[in-house]
Amino acid sequence: MRMRTRVTRILFSSAAATSAAVLIGAGAVHAADTAATITVTNPAAGGSYTAVTSHSSFLDLTTGISLTCTSGGGQNYGSQATGALPSQSGVALPATFAAGVGSLLFNTAGGCTSLLGSVTSIATDTPYEIVIQNYPGVKSDGVTPANGDGYIHIKNVNVSMPACSFTVSGDAPVYYDNATQSLNVTPDIAPEYGTSTTGDVTLPDGPLTISNVSGCLGEVQNGDIGAYYATADAENPFGNDTPYVLDSALQITSP
């Protein structure tokens, strides 16, 4: 019970309250500036990339239980994504990159942990689409524009812990930052999560949702809504999560 209360208090005091207060005056102004097309520039062959985050977190918003993945044990990532975002110009929004995430790996050397013990996560049914819906996008502070925002369509990620397993599926809201070549994952840019009254990103398949629960001592249940954080924004409820940094100098601009 302490875990539920603590994590829920952190989430909704540092993320929800801040986002709601700031976004009320920002969303309408930003929406009017959205471009109709984007240009993607990626110097890597075939538009390929590898992206690494040293610390990311998944939070069950319904019960408050959290999972974290950090680098260590000989692995230099908490989680790692590979995929393809090839160069192209004049792409109408929303822009869908079918092989946006070709693989998603998690630290298997003891880097993923939870209240219930060590965690193993396996992404299945890849590739996952990356959809850019808006240019410019918003960051989760609701004020500073991002260089495009949208979502990753997660088909299935299987999560296993001692005496507990479940599946996560849905759309994970993201935005891209040209300056840092980073893909930030945060639910605070999607109003479907209830953390803000405005926000660019809409989720056709709904927010991340938990299913196929086995065990878990009631700490995780079917139908729970989840939030994935891999971002450096101030609204990050855990404080030490980091975005996925790309090895490619990918840029998203508008003609």
Side-chain angles (χ1 to χ4, degrees), residues 57-245:
S57 303
F58 178 80
L59 179 65
D60 184 328
L61 293 175
T62 308
T63 66
I65 192 170
S66 65
L67 324 174
T68 62
C69 285
T70 63
S71 58
Q75 295 183 327
N76 67 343
Y77 58 85
S79 60
Q80 174 181 281
T82 63
L85 293 166
S87 296
Q88 47 192 306
S89 61
V91 183
L93 295 176
T96 300
F97 301 88
V101 177
S103 68
L104 184 60
L105 305 176
F106 298 88
N107 189 325
T108 56
C112 296
T113 59
S114 74
L115 182 68
L116 299 178
S118 61
V119 180
T120 300
S121 298
I122 301 173
T124 61
D125 299 331
T126 53
Y128 298 155
E129 295 175 343
I130 292 181
V131 178
I132 302 298
Q133 292 182 328
N134 310 284
Y135 179 93
V138 297
K139 294 183 179 180
S140 64
D141 57 17
V143 177
T144 309
N147 300 108
D149 61 20
Y151 61 89
I152 300 173
H153 178 49
I154 305 294
K155 298 173 187 176
N156 286 296
V157 173
N158 298 320
V159 180
S160 296
M161 297 168 279
C164 176
S165 64
F166 56 90
T167 301
V168 178
S169 303
D171 295 333
V174 300
Y175 71 82
Y176 189 73
D177 188 333
N178 284 343
T180 57
Q181 296 167 207
S182 62
L183 187 67
N184 293 253
V185 189
T186 171
D188 296 319
I189 58 175
E192 283 83 352
Y193 278 86
T195 57
S196 61
T197 56
T198 61
D200 281 9
V201 177
T202 57
L203 306 176
D205 291 283
L208 297 177
T209 304
I210 292 171
S211 62
N212 301 320
V213 175
S214 177
C216 303
L217 304 175
E219 295 288 347
V220 181
Q221 300 180 25
N222 288 320
D224 286 358
I225 300 302
Y228 186 58
Y229 289 88
T231 184
D233 280 327
E235 286 78 7
N236 167 9
F238 299 97
N240 50 2
D241 291 322
T242 62
Y244 284 90
V245 178

Side-chain angles (χ1 to χ4, degrees), residues 37-55:
T37 62
I38 59 170
T39 291
V40 177
T41 305
N42 188 346
S48 64
Y49 74 87
T50 296
V52 171
T53 172
S54 60
H55 193 294

